[in-house]
Amino acid sequence: MANQYPGPPPEQPEQPGHNPYATPPGGQPADAGYGYPQGGRPGDPGYGYPQAGSQPPPPGFPPSAPPSAPPPPAPGGFQAGPQIGGMSLSLGDIAVTGDTIMTPAGPMPLKGAVWTATDMSRTEEKMPAHAVVLAIVFFLFCLLGLLFLLMKERVTTGFVQVTVNSGGRHHSTMVPVQSREQVMFVLNQVNYARSLSV
């Protein structure tokens, strides 16, 4: 490989016992180098530090103004209040935070919300491919290999549809599931959301 340095390497003192990391002779700070971005000197601001008398904001961005009146209420008459405590639960694109249900259709009040969950998944039982292979292999050795044909595998596919109605709004989402445990988890989450809405 070629020399990867922009110039010749610095001269290193050949004195035994000399510490290359010690303060240079004369007590002056080291020149700009590694650790001082963009050729700066010690004491100059580094990456991302604002400087005194910095440039004005770029054109197209108005200076920030203090907040005035609260924003107008959302359609439907509900305005989200302050969010306390973070997100309680999330079902697809429906999230419950504080006393508000956040959806792509807009915020809804949590109090008095009506939750509906519909299980649209299906579970099938089928014989896995490895059971057939094992039955053929062990059939040649003993007739007990046919017992492998009794193996069954349950496969769940589909969605759980979750619907919420509140404050004159309606939103529905489909939560994909791959097992009966996931279906039960989503249904339990909807039951928890119902208990928060009372």
Side-chain angles (χ1 to χ4, degrees), residues 1-197:
M1 294 191 81
N3 187 2
Q4 296 179 0
Y5 298 102
E11 294 291 328
Q12 297 293 329
E14 298 294 329
Q15 304 165 358
H18 177 71
N19 183 359
Y21 302 108
T23 306
Q28 298 295 328
D31 289 334
Y34 185 78
Y36 295 106
Q38 301 153 356
R41 298 276 179 212
D44 288 347
Y47 295 114
Y49 292 103
Q51 299 176 6
S54 61
Q55 311 98 341
F61 292 100
S64 59
S68 54
F78 176 71
Q79 182 174 2
Q83 305 302 317
I84 301 172
M87 186 170 28
S88 299
L89 67 98
S90 175
L91 294 162
D93 56 3
I94 300 173
V96 177
T97 58
D99 61 348
T100 307
I101 302 168
M102 300 301 293
T103 67
M108 300 181 200
L110 179 60
K111 188 87 171 158
V114 178
W115 295 85
T116 308
T118 307
D119 183 5
M120 302 174 82
S121 65
R122 70 170 193 233
T123 301
E124 299 174 342
E125 273 193 9
K126 63 179 186 177
M127 189 181 322
H130 64 272
V132 175
V133 171
L134 290 172
I136 292 172
V137 169
F138 284 100
F139 176 73
L140 300 175
F141 296 112
C142 61
L143 294 177
L144 293 177
L146 295 176
L147 291 177
F148 284 110
L149 296 177
L150 297 176
M151 291 176 62
K152 299 291 180 199
E153 179 180 53
R154 291 187 178 178
V155 178
T156 300
T157 57
F159 299 88
V160 175
Q161 181 181 18
V162 178
T163 305
V164 60
N165 293 310
S166 181
R169 291 190 178 179
H170 166 85
H171 184 71
S172 180
T173 186
M174 305 286 269
V175 180
V177 290
Q178 286 88 27
S179 68
R180 293 309 302 167
E181 290 79 16
Q182 288 181 348
V183 171
M184 293 310 297
F185 177 76
V186 172
L187 295 178
N188 288 336
Q189 290 286 86
V190 171
N191 286 335
Y192 177 62
R194 285 182 184 137
S195 70
L196 293 176
S197 299

